[in-house]
Amino acid sequence: MTNTASTLRTAVPLDELIAAARELRIGGRWERATRLLDSAEATDPRSRARLALSAAEVALESDWFGGTALAGPRLAAAEEFVESLDGKLADEAHSDVGWDLDFLRLRHGYLGQVRVDGAFRAGPDGKDPDALAALRTHAERLRGGAPDDVRRGWAEMYLGLVADNLFAERDLAPGHYEAALRAGEAGEAGATGEAGGAGGSHDSGDDLLVREALRHLGDHDHDHGDHARARERWSRATELGARAGTVPGTLSQQLLLAVLARDAGDEAGAVALVREIARWAGAIGAVTIETQARGFLAGVDPTAAPAAAESGS
């Protein structure tokens, strides 16, 4: 791998460059991660495909946390690189890269259904039922074709999110989250892979997959009034996110801990924490988290059902 940002050409191992870009990405440094990936020049088709996939993932997370609209063109570019690999790779290697691209497509499609006109909108109302069904089928296909347990866990995670946030099937989602949790924890024994779907790394277990599953399982605990269990899961999720280096994810997780503080009657503590969350989120350009934090300060419960959240109750 050669860095071409200046006249000085430096050879860098591809795995190290992608790992560095990943750390920048999950740390909320999306512009820097993009510049790093774009400055690299790969000599073989598979390396170019991996760079394009990494850049598409950076764009997708910038869209999610930063409110941008960058992922579409980056995904199209990654598709071209991956399609050019037909017949040039062993089946196993091709299935990894192909699966990672397909997973990014799923995530992009999901984002388009849960964020409408710049705002989070859960549930099926006003949405094309065929499009929602297609996302579920897409996630099921990814689960069935996953090349390792951690990737399968991410597919399970999105099956849960689709059930929860698109179909409003609250009773169905936790089973998928539990399966994702088991896959993430089992993966700590050493699953292998490259692209790091949904912010996770397949080569060191998946703290971020475990975090994501705990985050949403805790949400169900909270809805059922089991605040002690929610606190246990959300506290662990916060710790795992911090250990993995996700700054936006850790801020969003701390917002849930503030919800529990408010529930327990510690309004002053909740407000103090969320003021800092809003400040941090604004400083790194995580506008979606900043908006949630500002809403919390105005009395909105970010865990409430959409109708309740809109009314500020």
Side-chain angles (χ1 to χ4, degrees):
M1 185 59 45
T2 303
N3 185 304
T4 59
S6 69
T7 56
L8 176 65
R9 300 171 68 84
T10 306
V12 179
L14 178 63
D15 287 347
E16 289 298 321
L17 186 141
I18 288 179
R22 174 184 177 273
E23 292 191 7
L24 289 168
R25 166 173 60 80
I26 65 176
R29 302 297 187 183
W30 306 296
E31 292 183 7
R32 174 66 71 183
T34 298
R35 288 198 298 270
L36 176 63
L37 292 165
D38 286 348
S39 72
E41 183 179 279
T43 57
D44 66 278
R46 188 165 189 264
S47 295
R48 289 195 291 271
R50 290 182 61 196
L51 285 170
L53 283 169
S54 295
E57 190 162 21
V58 171
L60 186 57
E61 292 201 11
S62 175
D63 289 357
W64 182 264
F65 289 113
T68 55
L70 305 173
R74 289 288 183 171
L75 271 172
E79 287 169 354
E80 289 185 12
F81 281 112
V82 173
E83 287 170 1
S84 73
L85 298 178
D86 286 338
K88 297 180 181 178
L89 291 176
D91 289 343
E92 182 178 355
H94 196 178
S95 70
D96 287 357
V97 174
W99 192 96
D100 292 337
L101 171 62
D102 208 20
F103 184 56
L104 288 177
R105 290 188 185 114
L106 171 68
R107 293 176 60 200
H108 189 236
Y110 171 79
L111 176 58
Q113 293 293 339
V114 296
R115 183 169 297 154
V116 180
D117 296 328
F120 180 78
R121 197 175 83 192
D125 291 349
K127 299 174 185 177
D128 181 355
D130 290 338
L132 301 187
L135 279 176
R136 172 172 275 166
T137 300
H138 189 162
E140 289 171 343
R141 184 179 70 248
L142 283 166
R143 178 179 61 182
D148 56 61
D149 287 342
V150 174
R151 284 182 172 93
R152 187 173 299 108
W154 276 110
E156 287 281 10
M157 188 69 226
Y158 270 79
L159 280 167
L161 293 173
V162 167
D164 235 349
N165 295 328
L166 298 184
F167 284 93
E169 296 171 342
R170 295 286 287 172
D171 58 332
L172 185 61
H176 293 297
Y177 299 149
E178 292 283 3
L181 179 63
R182 290 192 297 270
E185 291 177 330
E188 291 175 2
T192 60
E194 292 164 351
S201 168
H202 303 306
D203 60 4
S204 58
D206 212 315
D207 278 353
L208 293 181
L209 176 55
V210 175
R211 169 204 171 273
E212 195 74 14
L214 290 170
R215 175 179 172 84
H216 290 276
L217 286 167
D219 182 55
H220 284 261
D221 295 331
H222 182 257
D223 280 359
H224 294 148
D226 190 347
H227 290 188
R229 183 64 166 149
R231 178 178 301 280
E232 178 186 342
R233 282 175 158 154
W234 283 348
S235 295
R236 185 179 173 215
T238 305
E239 178 183 356
L240 289 171
R243 186 169 77 181
T246 170
V247 176
T250 301
L251 292 174
S252 67
Q253 196 59 42
Q254 287 179 325
L255 185 59
L256 296 181
L257 295 178
V259 168
L260 291 178
R262 174 174 280 174
D263 290 343
D266 184 8
E267 182 67 13
V271 167
L273 174 58
V274 174
R275 280 179 178 156
E276 291 308 309
I277 292 169
R279 193 195 315 273
W280 275 55
I284 66 171
V287 298
T288 59
I289 299 172
E290 183 183 15
T291 299
Q292 282 187 317
R294 300 291 179 196
F296 182 96
L297 294 173
V300 176
D301 179 359
T303 69
E310 288 168 7
S311 68
S313 62

